[in-house]
Amino acid sequence: AQSVTQLGSHVSVSEGALVLLRCNYSSSVPPYLFWYVQYPNQGLQLLLKYTTGATLVKGINGFEAEFKKSETSFHLTKPSAHMSDAAEYFCAVTGRAGTALIFGKGTTLSVSS
Amino acid sequence: EAGVVQSPRYKIIEKKQPVAFWCNPISGHNTLYWYRQNLGQGPELLIRYENEEAVDDSQLPKDRFSAERLKGVDSTLKIQPAELGDSAVYLCASSSRGLETQYFGPGTRLLVL
């Protein structure tokens, strides 16, 4: 069974500041890990994913995440926040391709000027 | 390439009324998922299809919810009768056989009054 915990339901940063959104997972099998972004009244858009291989993965819009097995974490970062990054971010896990994603509760990112 | 298409985008109904949602997945994607997203939560799987077969419907409330995927392409999710607690966003996603990435549609936002 899998589960996801996203620490912090709401994160606020200033434009140009570092963005750090935290995700810890639980999985009884090697996980596939994902970060999705959701803008108001829209569906989920894939930011990045980890399957196997390199533990630092780069995604769209300057985001990246590092898979740390020993810490069961997959935190999302971006060096410099932009106003357009304001959205809801979801971390998700699955144990096998083609099966249900298990999502965290999401983190709302606010960016102020 | 067209993404996942859902309709309607918004639906307001009275409780006890029926409602149906339609989804057309990305062309060639054999796996189709219906998720429900309650306010302030991450999506949760309702049902998963591989081609026309429902392979995971353990979380579908079968007393009032039904789904079909005729010919293994588009799918319909129905609620009859709707209850106040069914107010949520219903998301459809699809993926290609053996691949882990799920692509989401824009969702249908349901309000039951």
Side-chain angles (χ1 to χ4, degrees), chain B:
Chain B
E1 179 182 273
V4 176
V5 179
Q6 291 188 247
S7 67
R9 291 294 312 277
Y10 305 92
K11 190 74 175 179
I12 301 175
I13 61 172
E14 299 283 334
K15 64 181 181 182
K16 300 184 182 180
Q17 294 299 306
V19 65
F21 316 125
W22 177 80
C23 171
N24 188 258
I26 292 173
S27 178
H29 281 192
N30 71 306
T31 307
L32 184 146
Y33 315 76
W34 283 103
Y35 289 86
R36 178 169 59 186
Q37 185 178 18
N38 292 314
L39 188 64
Q41 303 292 319
E44 295 179 327
L45 183 75
L46 289 173
I47 189 169
R48 174 170 62 94
Y49 282 92
E50 289 186 5
N51 300 309
E52 64 275 8
E53 181 182 2
V55 295
D56 183 358
D57 63 356
S58 58
Q59 300 304 310
L60 188 73
K62 298 182 183 63
D63 57 335
R64 296 184 300 106
F65 286 65
S66 64
E68 61 182 11
R69 191 184 184 197
L70 300 176
K71 300 181 180 179
V73 182
D74 55 351
S75 176
T76 301
L77 178 68
K78 299 178 181 178
I79 309 175
Q80 182 171 13
E83 297 179 351
L84 296 178
D86 296 330
S87 295
V89 177
Y90 292 82
L91 293 163
C92 180
S94 69
S95 66
S96 187
R97 186 188 307 275
L99 299 183
E100 67 282 342
T101 301
Q102 296 180 25
Y103 298 88
F104 285 79
T108 295
R109 188 174 298 270
L110 173 67
L111 179 61
V112 182
L113 301 176

Side-chain angles (χ1 to χ4, degrees), chain A residues 32 34 36 38 41-44 46 49 51 90 97-101 103-105, chain B residues 9 33 35 37 40-43 45 48 91 98-102 104-106 109:
Chain A
Y32 294 156
F34 305 81
Y36 282 88
Q38 187 176 36
N41 298 320
Q42 295 188 27
L44 279 73
L46 181 68
K49 64 181 179 182
T51 53
F90 292 94
T99 61
L101 292 176
F103 286 87
K105 292 185 176 182
Chain B
R9 291 294 312 277
Y33 315 76
Y35 289 86
Q37 185 178 18
Q41 303 292 319
L45 183 75
R48 174 170 62 94
L91 293 163
L99 299 183
E100 67 282 342
T101 301
Q102 296 180 25
F104 285 79
R109 188 174 298 270

Side-chain angles (χ1 to χ4, degrees), chain A residues 5-89:
Chain A
T5 301
Q6 291 186 239
L7 298 176
S9 59
H10 195 184
V11 171
S12 297
V13 300
S14 299
E15 194 171 23
L18 172 71
V19 175
L20 171 60
L21 304 183
R22 300 180 186 273
C23 172
N24 287 88
Y25 70 92
S26 173
S27 180
S28 57
V29 297
Y32 294 156
L33 293 159
F34 305 81
W35 276 100
Y36 282 88
V37 61
Q38 187 176 36
Y39 297 100
N41 298 320
Q42 295 188 27
L44 279 73
Q45 179 183 7
L46 181 68
L47 276 178
L48 48 80
K49 64 181 179 182
Y50 168 80
T51 53
T52 59
T55 57
L56 181 63
V57 294
K58 297 184 183 299
I60 62 172
N61 301 337
F63 285 93
E64 62 182 38
E66 186 171 11
F67 170 61
K68 293 186 176 181
K69 183 178 179 180
S70 61
E71 299 178 7
T72 60
S73 69
F74 191 57
H75 302 329
L76 182 71
T77 61
K78 182 174 181 178
S80 176
H82 191 272
M83 297 293 286
S84 61
D85 295 327
E88 186 86 11
Y89 292 80

